[in-house]
Amino acid sequence: MSVKENILSKPTLETGADEDQLLRVSLGPQHPSTHGVFRMNVMLDGETVVSLKPVFGYLHRNHEKIAENIPYLGSMPYTDRLDYLCPLTNNHAYALAVEKLAGIEVPERAEYIRIITSELTRVMNHTVFMGFFLGDLGAWGSALMYAFREREKLFDLFEELTGARMMTNYMRFGGCRNDLPAGWIEKAKTFVDGYDAFLDEMESLITGNEILLARTQNIGQVSKELMVNAGITGPMLRAAGVAYDVRKVDSYGIYDRFDFKVPYGEKGDCYDRMMIRFLEMRESLKILKQAIADIPEGDYVNPKIKSAKFKAKPGEAYARIEGPKGELGFHLISDGGVNPYRYHVRPPSFVNLTLIEDMCLGLDLADVVVILGSVDIVLGEVDR
Amino acid sequence: MNLLADQAGVTQAVDAPAIWTTLEALPQLPNRLVGWIGFQMNIPEWLATLLGLLVSAAVVVGVFLTCFALVSLVERKTLARIQNRYGPNRVGPFGLFQPVADGIKMLTKEDIVPYKAEKLLHLIAPIMIVIPAVLALGVLPYGKEWVPVNLELGLLFFFAVGAMTELSVFIAGWASGSKFPMLGSLRAISQMVSYELPLLISAMGVIMMTGSMSLPAIVEHQSQYNFGVLSNWNIFTPWGLVGGIVFFIACIAEANRCPFDLPEGESEIVAGHMTEYSGFKYALFFMGEYLGLFAISGLFITLFLGGWSAPIAGLEFVPTWLWFFGKLVCVIMTMLWIRGTWMRVRMDQLMRFCWLFLIPLSLLTIPAAGIWKFCGEGFLAGLLGWGVTVPFLIVPYIIITVILNRRLAPATRQYHFAE
């Protein structure tokens, strides 16, 4: 099917309206609330959505092909730019894939550092999600600014640890790039201890609001089966009532040592998606508290690993983690050279977005924006 | 200056300090000046009247354009404070010259007309949105002595020109030849037409009470004091409280402010009817919207918050127009507060809220105002009035909310935890 045909496709929802009475609106690629350069071709009957075709690719930058032409470590900074809101989990997933491919042991301290940074990233992502989500609902930036205030504190932590606020480039094969700076763990502890109070404040400000309830409840539901079949993961799947969390299923790293639970909802509407993220943040704080208390002394990186001229034996490996947005996987095939032979990313944003039409059909144009916000995408990851 | 005060004929507040008396007459200064010059130059009477009217209009436009500049700055700074930010503070002291910078930016920007636009209508729409706002501002009583145009049917005139705004918004949406403006103007039309009903109906009680549609008379009626101290504002009566709240909500919707800013819902339809406008035309839209906001807030103050009258007896020495503008600041700040904290409703919710909640409630205020009037004045009559009208309003209110809540009750959610 050619691109043109796809764009002009017929409505998928029968409303009884003549086709020439329908209005075709192109939401994006330049639109205030598409979270980047994403485009939706929406057919409207009045304001009711009768068909919605997502158009990807405006931010495509050849991430996977570039990775095949540079050494393994060279892709590490690029992974920061996938989901630029949570670079450290991207680093983590990629490092895990290479370690699986090359059979590298990771020292215990490095595992702890990885878990602390990943969970901090999860907290950061979900906090910022609240801000963007309310922005999509029309709360002109207030919630976003409150979320950004907290994100600044996290950025300060990341900056001290990695030297960069957003593009961290921190994980290495067999550990991390550098050890925790002196006093960092205390700062992280102060932050984590104070975060419950912020979450309480945010929840009390947001969750009882009647307009929010009316705008998000029973909006954007799809059946569990369809979600599982479409490969949806992360908070979106858990909100629909499937308790699936890679941290529990795979117990990668040392996640089996921590005491935490997987919250899941029932209805799977936008409201549930938001609340699940609140609950997840609280579980993340639990993990963080345990990890910060237990972190051992030792090597922060496997001393046997040389980053320069790093080679993996021929073979293939797929490693996945529970990213803030869902299952983030890296698939690597090695032919024994310095560059990966094949490099593939399984981005949660992209896969979660595939059901957008099913969620939006029959609803208002205003709901489309809310649903897109509740999926929580980053276009850097969708288009790669 | 004393001569000026004498000429202004301020006879009340004899024992008030001269400075207050002078201030009270300040808005008349241009008028008096022109009148005096005309008298000296011996111009014919019709010319003097015409000049007087023009000067009155110029005063109103000048005052409210200044207000517009200030409020656009205050809005940004207030919202910034709500959001943990500083807001504009680079241009001049405390960012005070920011409106000037904005104005220069707007004026020097390219004026883009879309290829598919209806060129003439595209030009007319922004002009048309400013005119009714200025016309509406012309009939409001800002002070005891400061009524630019004293119309016998001022309220009717206000609503009549207020309805013109809808026309210009629709023209803007249609003439842009683009889809987001079209959607925005469709939303605007349905919203503004619907919310005009509660606006009009809740004003009925005030008209019944005063027995006049003249805005100065309505304020005059509220400027007396009960028991010598308590102000007689309409909002302090049961029907006035309900009517006032309904009127205020409808005001927000008419002014397209959050949480009813659907016509320009930024996250959904970019900027609604203003999407295809740039440069000075956009600035005109912006200005028309703010002038409309002042006008509708001013009407709310006039009808329910006692217009220029002081809140308690003994404070009348303060110039009346200061009271009016003080109240205007309060009303606008409340709107900013709402904008900073609430999110937008959806179109069907907006309509349901209007037709199932606001209109029944505003209809109730009419008989309630009738009962209140029937009960008469005085302490016992007042008690009787409260005793009868409060249940009359509360019981239907509870019934309406219970019925609506049953349909819309937000479900409580269960969340489970898996190991």
Side-chain angles (χ1 to χ4, degrees):
Chain A
M1 189 162 57
S2 73
V3 175
K4 201 177 174 192
E5 264 177 75
N6 182 22
I7 291 170
L8 299 173
S9 64
K10 293 211 160 64
T12 35
L13 186 81
E14 288 298 323
T15 56
D18 279 346
E19 227 174 279
D20 55 350
Q21 288 177 352
L22 300 177
L23 183 68
R24 201 175 67 236
V25 182
S26 173
L27 286 177
Q30 279 85 35
H31 186 272
S33 57
T34 50
H35 296 248
V37 278
F38 174 55
R39 177 170 166 212
M40 288 176 284
N41 276 305
V42 187
M43 261 314 192
L44 295 176
D45 175 17
E47 279 211 27
T48 311
V49 177
V50 293
S51 119
L52 185 150
K53 299 288 174 227
V55 184
F56 306 115
Y58 292 96
L59 205 59
H60 182 62
R61 53 204 188 283
N62 262 325
H63 174 63
E64 289 168 1
K65 197 67 194 169
I66 289 172
E68 287 166 18
N69 296 303
I70 51 174
Y72 284 93
L73 191 58
S75 295
M76 189 60 85
Y78 282 127
T79 59
D80 295 336
R81 277 101 177 144
L82 276 176
D83 176 356
Y84 42 77
L85 289 181
C86 26
L88 282 161
T89 45
N90 300 343
N91 289 174
H92 192 173
Y94 180 55
L96 221 59
V98 176
E99 280 154 15
K100 202 167 168 185
L101 185 71
I104 301 170
E105 291 284 310
V106 181
E108 201 173 331
R109 184 177 172 81
E111 292 280 18
Y112 271 94
I113 297 175
R114 282 180 177 187
I115 282 180
I116 292 171
T117 50
S118 293
E119 293 304 319
L120 281 176
T121 307
R122 191 184 316 280
V123 168
M124 177 165 97
N125 179 71
H126 287 357
T127 309
V128 175
F129 162 83
M130 300 299 162
F132 284 135
F133 186 54
L134 286 164
D136 288 340
L137 280 166
W140 199 85
S142 298
L144 188 65
M145 285 297 156
Y146 275 74
F148 272 17
R149 183 185 65 191
E150 300 306 310
R151 187 166 85 143
E152 284 302 309
K153 294 177 192 165
L154 275 165
F155 272 168
D156 288 345
L157 282 179
F158 290 164
E159 188 180 13
E160 203 177 332
L161 178 62
T162 70
R165 292 167 80 78
M166 272 179 101
M167 301 301 135
T168 53
N169 181 19
Y170 180 59
M171 310 276 179
R172 288 290 176 270
F173 313 135
C176 304
R177 197 180 64 211
N178 54 292
D179 202 358
L180 300 178
W184 191 87
I185 205 82
E186 284 75 33
K187 282 181 192 164
K189 191 171 184 331
T190 323
F191 175 83
V192 169
D193 289 343
Y195 212 72
D196 270 320
F198 167 74
L199 285 183
D200 290 339
E201 184 196 11
M202 195 91 169
E203 259 196 86
S204 66
L205 284 174
I206 293 174
T207 50
N209 188 307
E210 245 179 74
I211 299 178
L212 179 103
L213 295 177
R215 285 297 304 276
T216 56
Q217 290 200 334
N218 303 323
I219 296 293
Q221 288 162 297
V222 225
S223 71
K224 258 189 240 180
E225 292 70 31
L226 187 57
M227 279 205 177
V228 173
N229 288 343
I232 303 246
T233 46
M236 225 174 119
L237 181 69
R238 288 195 284 277
V242 183
Y244 174 79
D245 190 321
V246 183
R247 287 177 294 178
K248 287 281 184 191
V249 176
D250 273 11
S251 293
Y252 58 90
I254 49 166
Y255 267 110
D256 47 357
R257 293 188 198 175
F258 298 107
D259 166 39
F260 70 101
K261 291 180 180 132
V262 180
Y264 63 99
E266 280 171 355
K267 291 205 135 185
D269 53 10
C270 293
Y271 182 76
D272 270 356
R273 283 175 206 153
M274 191 188 78
M275 292 309 289
I276 285 292
R277 285 184 169 97
F278 268 121
L279 295 171
E280 258 179 43
M281 274 196 267
R282 295 198 188 271
E283 294 300 320
S284 283
L285 292 180
K286 267 206 258 176
I287 299 176
L288 278 168
K289 279 173 193 161
Q290 295 167 41
I292 286 172
D294 296 350
I295 185 165
E297 291 298 317
D299 286 330
Y300 60 89
V301 68
N302 191 336
K304 286 176 226 156
I305 305 300
K306 283 182 201 146
S307 288
K309 292 184 182 164
F310 175 87
K311 278 182 191 170
K313 59 182 185 298
E316 68 178 293
Y318 176 74
R320 55 186 188 168
I321 65 162
E322 179 68 29
K325 297 180 166 69
E327 180 185 322
L328 173 64
F330 280 83
H331 187 196
L332 296 171
I333 302 179
S334 165
D335 57 356
V338 286
N339 302 345
Y341 175 74
R342 180 78 177 92
Y343 171 105
H344 176 71
V345 189
R346 187 232 184 254
S349 295
F350 174 66
V351 180
N352 289 356
L353 203 49
T354 47
L355 280 188
I356 183 101
E357 181 172 17
D358 301 74
M359 289 190 277
C360 293
L361 283 186
L363 298 176
D364 268 17
L365 183 63
D367 294 329
V368 172
V369 174
V370 177
I371 290 168
L372 184 68
S374 77
V375 176
D376 190 15
I377 55 162
V378 161
L379 261 292
E381 196 177 54
V382 173
D383 290 340
R384 302 190 295 295
Chain B
M1 275 308 211
N2 272 334
L3 174 89
L4 181 84
D6 290 342
Q7 277 194 351
V10 180
T11 48
Q12 253 207 347
V14 186
D15 49 354
I19 177 76
W20 294 120
T21 329
T22 316
L23 266 178
E24 173 75 55
L26 191 63
Q28 274 77 48
L29 178 64
N31 248 341
R32 302 284 157 193
L33 213 61
V34 169
W36 182 74
I37 293 169
F39 182 72
Q40 297 296 319
M41 290 168 68
N42 235 339
I43 57 170
E45 199 172 333
W46 62 269
L47 190 59
T49 318
L50 185 69
L51 274 178
L53 281 174
L54 281 178
V55 170
S56 304
V59 169
V60 170
V61 172
V63 165
F64 280 99
L65 282 187
T66 320
C67 278
F68 159 59
L70 280 177
V71 167
S72 68
L73 176 68
V74 168
E75 167 153 26
R76 288 174 65 181
K77 285 198 97 100
T78 316
L79 277 178
R81 287 293 167 174
I82 291 174
Q83 299 170 355
N84 283 316
R85 297 187 284 120
Y86 284 111
N89 62 356
R90 298 286 99 184
V91 195
F94 310 108
L96 270 177
F97 298 143
Q98 184 69 37
V100 182
D102 285 346
I104 292 170
K105 185 194 85 170
M106 286 292 189
L107 283 173
T108 51
K109 266 197 165 181
E110 186 190 353
D111 173 32
I112 301 164
V113 183
Y115 173 68
K116 280 192 175 176
E118 299 271 344
K119 305 282 180 307
L120 183 64
L121 291 178
H122 191 264
L123 172 70
I124 287 175
I127 302 169
M128 264 189 69
I129 203 164
V130 177
I131 291 171
V134 176
L135 285 178
L137 283 170
V139 293
L140 291 176
Y142 301 108
K144 199 170 230 165
E145 306 294 325
W146 185 11
V147 189
V149 183
N150 192 350
L151 286 181
E152 196 54 43
L153 292 173
L155 190 58
L156 202 61
F157 177 81
F158 189 101
F159 284 130
V161 293
M164 269 171 71
T165 319
E166 284 140 48
L167 193 61
S168 65
V169 167
F170 191 65
I171 289 177
W174 177 255
S176 294
S178 169
K179 285 164 187 170
F180 287 123
M182 190 68 214
L183 282 171
S185 63
L186 286 176
R187 283 180 171 194
I189 285 291
S190 46
Q191 172 179 337
M192 288 165 116
V193 169
S194 299
Y195 275 79
E196 211 141 84
L197 286 175
L199 202 70
L200 284 161
I201 297 170
S202 54
M204 290 290 271
V206 179
I207 300 169
M208 286 165 67
M209 238 34 198
T210 320
S212 164
M213 277 184 138
S214 153
L215 293 171
I218 287 170
V219 178
E220 201 70 52
H221 181 256
Q222 296 178 71
S223 64
Q224 298 140 12
Y225 294 95
N226 293 325
F227 320 119
V229 193
L230 295 171
S231 56
N232 191 24
W233 298 358
N234 285 331
I235 196 113
F236 296 136
T237 58
W239 61 269
L241 185 63
V242 175
I245 292 170
V246 170
F247 194 91
F248 182 63
I249 295 171
C251 274
I252 298 176
E254 281 290 299
N256 292 341
R257 309 272 309 173
C258 181
F260 305 118
D261 54 347
L262 286 100
E264 54 214 70
E266 194 191 328
S267 61
E268 293 148 23
I269 49 171
V270 189
H273 56 273
M274 301 191 288
T275 309
E276 300 291 355
Y277 282 92
S278 61
F280 192 57
K281 289 180 188 165
Y282 181 82
L284 276 179
F285 263 112
F286 205 59
M287 193 164 90
E289 214 146 83
Y290 272 92
L291 293 182
L293 176 71
F294 296 144
I296 202 102
S297 310
L299 187 68
F300 173 59
I301 292 164
T302 307
L303 292 183
F304 292 98
L305 295 184
W308 42 255
S309 65
I312 46 170
L315 285 172
E316 296 100 331
F317 63 87
V318 179
T320 47
W321 52 271
L322 268 182
W323 283 120
F324 182 89
F325 281 95
K327 289 171 189 176
L328 191 66
V329 168
C330 293
V331 171
I332 286 177
M333 281 313 235
T334 315
M335 287 186 177
L336 293 189
W337 184 19
I338 292 172
R339 185 180 168 192
T341 45
W342 278 4
M343 45 218 107
R344 189 179 305 125
V345 296
R346 208 171 54 210
M347 201 68 214
D348 55 327
Q349 293 161 352
L350 178 94
M351 287 296 161
R352 195 189 295 131
F353 183 63
C354 178
W355 289 93
L356 296 185
F357 185 75
L358 287 185
I359 290 182
L361 217 57
S362 59
L363 280 172
L364 278 177
T365 60
I366 297 176
I371 296 168
W372 182 262
K373 178 111 181 164
F374 181 74
C375 286
E377 282 173 26
F379 182 68
L380 279 176
L383 269 185
L384 183 68
W386 276 93
V388 179
T389 45
V390 168
F392 182 81
L393 288 165
I394 288 272
V395 172
Y397 167 77
I398 292 173
I399 293 171
I400 293 172
T401 44
V402 163
I403 292 172
L404 284 182
N405 271 343
R406 191 178 295 154
R407 277 177 51 190
L408 294 171
T412 46
R413 294 298 171 83
Q414 291 286 317
Y415 295 101
H416 313 283
F417 292 92
E419 281 298 331

